[in-house]
Amino acid sequence: MEKRPAKRAVVRAGAFSVRLYPRALIVGVVLVLIALTMALVNLTTGDFPVPVGEVLKSLAGKGTAGTDFIVYELRLPRVLVTLLVGLALGASGAVFQSLTRNPLGSPDFVGLTTGAASGALIVMLIVGGGGLQVSAGAITGCVVTAVVVYLLAFRRGVQPFRLVLMGIGVSALLEALNSYLIYRAQLNEAIAAQVWLIGSVNGRGWTEVVIVAVTVVVLVPLVVHYGRHLKMLALGDEMAVLHGVPVERSRAVLALAAVSLSAGATAAAGPIAFVALAAPPLAARLSSSPSSGILPAAGMGAALLSAGDWAAQNALPGNDIPVGVITAALGGVYLTWLLFHEKRGARA
């Protein structure tokens, strides 16, 4: 049975018009509400439980000094980093999967998060830097890896399948480099580096909040604006040109913005796996659309990572495990489901 095309509405305001897909809009709003609800729950969770009412009073500026310290200094930075990183990864994954026309075309598989990890490890283990220097190293590593993968995949243009394969190959090489860097490091440095590689929001402060917040505020509107061209680009360059889409400019802006979103997220929380891979198709299924919109995918990413952080704090009582462990486990389940679904589709 063929899927019916998603219903849409056109909202006009003078010379401007915006196409809205009601179901995708509803899904996006619900996912954002779920993410915010999980964020509120996470603010109440920890070594010192705080009732929801006290958290709300603190956020409204009417809390006690003790509650304000717990909420604003210990928990709110972590919660905001979780929301913003999930949002950035969801939006980045939606762009990459649309541009590559491949469900595996996410920052995880095309080597970007591994490249960011390499840049951070070089700063941590060779340069001896920390804090903002590690974040800068992660961003630099991500951008350099993106350029290398693009140049290796370029042959009279860039074919999506070739781009994914080159990304997987570069990612494997960088994984070997990362393993070597950890192997040659001192024990305490190696442990710290390995924890960072897993991906964690534990202990994140306002510096990380600012890094990922600036990335999201600047780039998500840009991605949403140019994202309206993704469906035309998916039909091929010739069809997109016939519909008046500036193909090369749109593809370059979207790719650069998606790389930067992934870089900012990794700089703030480390290479958290599988959120960018799973969020777009899950949002698309809820929206009854063959491809997810940018905003529903971003909302799904924020909801997934917020729920994952709650699970990370409560899976083992008294032991706050990195959220990357939870997302990796869920990612394995998702990949198994994806392959099984593709196998059934091929038989049908």
Side-chain angles (χ1 to χ4, degrees), residues 138-202:
I139 293 172
T140 302
C142 184
V143 173
V144 170
T145 302
V147 172
V148 170
V149 170
Y150 179 85
L151 292 177
L152 289 174
F154 188 87
R155 182 177 293 178
R156 297 178 183 176
V158 177
Q159 297 298 320
F161 185 68
R162 182 178 175 83
L163 182 70
V164 173
L165 286 181
M166 284 298 179
I168 292 173
V170 170
S171 180
L173 292 174
L174 292 174
E175 288 281 6
L177 172 63
N178 294 347
S179 297
Y180 172 72
L181 290 174
I182 292 176
Y183 167 76
R184 66 182 295 276
Q186 298 294 325
L187 179 60
N188 60 332
E189 294 177 338
I191 293 174
Q194 187 59 49
V195 170
W196 192 91
L197 281 178
I198 294 172
S200 175
V201 292
N202 188 21

